[in-house]
């Protein structure tokens, strides 16, 4: 088998050539992306940290009532957020929520239009599928390397790595929802003289809304799963105390911060979950 390993295909060298070319020729594009994302992150972080923490809790509870119309879920959200404040992790939680919300803005802003286009063009989706599989299966630590090369350290490379990992979910679920629109509905809209844009907005998107909302839910949960990994490139948030607990072999701190991450996941899931009736 020596003959098979004697001539190694230089995959790593090729990747390095591509990264070097992108770094030297697309630096203006990366600077523009970093500038935009920094302002998006800064704006969200200000909205979450400028008001008193109890005001933000009240806003989350009000949003939960608007989405769920259930006092039990509202009570659970309030108790979860008050528990986070009690444990002293509110600042880290707002930093992680900033990463999650920014990821939702970027992923849904890109994923929904791409999913719609893929649903209308089966060949496009067939060509995209291997790329989406690669984005979801490639180890997330690998995303951090080019993110650091192009964007340095901080929340921006953490957001970039998160978006690459999360983006396939809203694309696939939007594609599923739009593509599964009953043919009879589309034909009826066509028979009544609906234009393609009218069919999209009044037939396909309303039908696909449950799948799109599921894509939003998955975007949030997957973004939350990247909190600890993103902290390895300087992103602030709940990942930092977890890493410190790991470095110091501190099980109490690790369980405490890990449990807070679980509480955040439960709160966000209950806020956005749509029960099938």
């Amino acid at each position: 088998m020596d003959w098979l390993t004697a001539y190694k295909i230089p995959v790593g060298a090729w990747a390095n050539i591509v990264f070097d070319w992108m770094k030297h020729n697309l630096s203006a594009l990366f600077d523009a992306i970093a500038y935009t994302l920094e302002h998006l992150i800064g704006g969200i972080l200000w909205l979450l940290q400028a008001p008193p923490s109890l005001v933000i809790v009240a806003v989350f509870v009000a949003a939960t009532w608007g989405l769920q119309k259930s006092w039990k879920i509202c009570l659970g959200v309030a108790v979860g957020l008050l528990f986070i404040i009690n444990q002293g992790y509110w600042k880290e939680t707002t930093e992680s929520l900033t990463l999650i919300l920014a990821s939702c803005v970027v992923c849904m802003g890109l994923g929904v239009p791409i999913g719609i286009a893929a649903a209308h063009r089966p060949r496009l989706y067939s060509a995209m599928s291997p790329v989406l599989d690669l984005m979801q299966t490639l180890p997330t630590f690998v995303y951090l390397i080019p993110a650091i090369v192009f964007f340095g350290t901080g929340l921006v490379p953490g957001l970039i790595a998160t978006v690459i990992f999360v983006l396939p979910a809203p694309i696939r679920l939007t594609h599923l929802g739009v593509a599964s629109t009953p043919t009879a509905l589309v034909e009826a809209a066509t028979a009544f003289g609906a234009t393609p844009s009218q069919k999209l907005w009044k037939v396909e998107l309303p039908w696909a809304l449950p799948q799109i909302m599921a894509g939003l839910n998955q975007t949030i949960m997957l973004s939350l799963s990247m909190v600890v990994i993103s902290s390895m490139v300087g992103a602030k948030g709940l990942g930092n105390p977890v890493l410190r607990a790991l470095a110091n072999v501190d099980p109490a701190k690790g369980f405490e911060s890990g449990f807070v991450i679980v509480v955040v996941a439960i709160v966000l899931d209950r806020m956005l979950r749509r029960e099938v009736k």
Side-chain angles (χ1 to χ4, degrees):
M1 296 295 291
D2 291 340
W3 62 271
L4 190 57
T5 58
Y7 300 99
K8 179 180 177 180
I9 299 175
V11 176
W14 293 342
N16 196 43
I17 292 172
V18 172
F19 289 147
D20 286 340
W21 183 89
M22 293 174 67
K23 186 176 180 180
H24 289 93
N25 294 276
L26 301 178
S27 58
L29 174 62
F30 294 136
D31 289 342
I33 293 173
Y35 179 82
T36 302
L37 294 181
E38 284 172 359
H39 281 72
L40 173 64
I41 291 169
I44 296 174
L45 191 61
W46 182 85
L47 288 174
L48 292 175
Q49 291 187 343
S53 57
L54 293 180
V55 172
I56 300 300
V57 171
V59 170
F60 271 78
V61 172
T64 303
W65 176 257
L67 292 170
Q68 301 294 344
K69 298 294 189 295
S70 170
W71 68 267
K72 294 180 180 179
I73 297 178
C74 290
L75 179 61
V77 168
V79 169
L81 295 177
L82 292 175
F83 171 78
I84 292 171
I85 295 173
N86 171 263
Q87 294 296 300
Y89 286 93
W90 182 252
K91 183 175 183 291
E92 291 84 356
T93 299
T94 57
E95 290 166 345
S96 292
L97 285 174
T98 297
L99 181 64
I100 293 168
L101 293 176
S103 174
C104 288
V105 171
V106 176
C107 288
M108 298 305 291
L110 294 174
V112 172
I114 293 174
I116 292 171
H120 291 156
R121 299 168 179 82
R123 290 184 179 179
L124 173 62
Y125 186 71
S126 298
M128 288 169 48
S129 290
V131 179
L132 298 178
D133 292 338
L134 178 66
M135 293 167 67
Q136 287 186 305
T137 56
L138 196 67
T140 50
F141 290 99
V142 177
Y143 300 143
L144 299 180
I145 300 172
I148 293 172
V149 171
F150 299 138
F151 300 100
T153 58
L155 275 173
V156 171
L159 176 59
I160 295 295
T162 300
V163 167
I164 295 173
F165 176 65
V166 174
L167 187 58
I171 292 177
R172 290 186 187 278
L173 286 167
T174 301
H175 168 267
L176 175 64
V178 174
S180 64
T181 305
T183 305
L185 285 179
V186 179
E187 291 178 347
T190 303
F192 281 98
T195 63
S197 62
Q198 288 174 329
K199 285 187 285 186
L200 173 64
W201 288 101
K202 296 185 177 182
V203 178
E204 294 175 337
L205 287 182
W207 180 269
L209 185 60
Q211 284 77 18
I212 294 174
M213 289 301 297
L216 176 60
N217 186 282
Q218 286 298 301
T219 297
I220 292 173
M221 293 298 108
L222 291 172
S223 299
L224 188 57
S225 72
M226 289 288 290
V227 163
V228 176
I229 296 174
S230 298
S231 65
M232 295 180 178
V233 293
K236 298 178 180 179
L238 291 169
N240 285 334
V242 174
L243 290 181
R244 287 197 298 268
L246 180 62
N248 298 326
V249 194
D250 186 347
K253 176 67 73 173
F255 181 82
E256 186 179 84
S257 53
F259 191 71
V260 169
I261 294 175
V262 172
V263 171
V264 172
I266 294 173
V267 166
L268 294 176
D269 180 67
R270 294 302 181 271
M271 284 182 64
L272 295 170
R273 176 177 291 182
R274 289 289 183 180
E275 299 292 343
V276 179
K277 298 181 180 180

